[in-house]
Amino acid sequence: MIRRVFLLIFITQLIFGCAKHDVKNKQFYRAIANQDTAYLSIIRLENKFYGQYEIRYNGKAFIDSGDVTGIIKKDTLRGTFHFKPYGGGEWRRKPIIFLEENGKLLLGKGFVHSFLKIAYFDETVPFDFSKPDFVFDEITE
């Protein structure tokens, strides 16, 4: 019972703490590759970011949609994408990385390992931004 009360207090503080951040800092991005379109909206707070990420495959028929959170180091945004896959099933979490270059965000690739169903990037293998699946342009809401 006491744990539930503390959990409720923690969640309430988290919600109201996030709500007082200025939503004017929210940035909206869109990327189109073949028939796939991805939307990203993020809020940057110091060296962290959080937001929403959605990938619409094959002209809107199938959608991966969820939350992104992570850290910012110089021109790199690195975090996780927690999403429900378009085919249904369980929620998944996978690592993501973006390189900010010339006002665009390039979705990078890295070598992914998994441990106890938790996916993460291999630190010994360099990230590749040379042929990104998506190049995000900032858009207005």
Side-chain angles (χ1 to χ4, degrees):
M1 177 68 173
I2 293 195
R3 287 185 183 179
R4 288 184 182 172
V5 171
F6 282 119
L7 181 62
L8 181 62
I9 291 170
F10 174 75
I11 291 172
T12 304
Q13 287 177 341
L14 182 66
I15 290 170
F16 287 110
C18 291
K20 66 182 177 181
H21 293 295
D22 190 1
V23 292
K24 293 177 188 171
N25 294 333
K26 196 169 204 177
Q27 295 172 290
F28 298 93
Y29 295 90
R30 179 182 59 212
I32 300 171
N34 300 319
Q35 292 185 337
D36 302 337
T37 305
Y39 297 94
L40 176 67
S41 63
I42 58 171
I43 295 176
R44 299 174 193 231
L45 299 171
E46 297 176 13
N47 64 342
K48 297 177 184 163
F49 72 93
Y50 67 92
Q52 302 291 313
Y53 185 35
E54 180 177 283
I55 305 167
R56 294 176 179 246
Y57 299 100
N58 199 17
K60 302 183 183 180
F62 304 106
I63 300 173
D64 285 350
S65 180
D67 301 319
V68 290
T69 59
I71 58 171
I72 303 169
K73 287 187 179 177
K74 297 181 183 177
D75 58 355
T76 305
L77 288 77
R78 181 176 174 175
T80 59
F81 177 34
H82 186 228
F83 66 101
K84 184 91 168 184
Y86 67 84
E90 296 179 13
W91 282 85
R92 297 183 186 169
R93 187 177 305 271
K94 70 178 184 178
I96 57 168
I97 189 160
F98 300 98
L99 176 66
E100 192 166 22
E101 186 175 88
N102 299 324
K104 298 178 184 285
L105 291 178
L106 285 66
L107 179 63
K109 297 176 185 142
F111 190 78
V112 177
H113 285 289
S114 181
F115 180 72
L116 298 175
K117 294 188 178 184
I118 299 172
Y120 61 93
F121 285 124
D122 184 338
E123 297 292 330
T124 63
V125 179
F127 297 109
D128 182 15
F129 297 97
S130 63
K131 296 179 184 175
D133 290 337
F134 289 112
V135 176
F136 290 86
D137 292 305
E138 190 167 3
I139 58 173
T140 56
E141 186 177 16

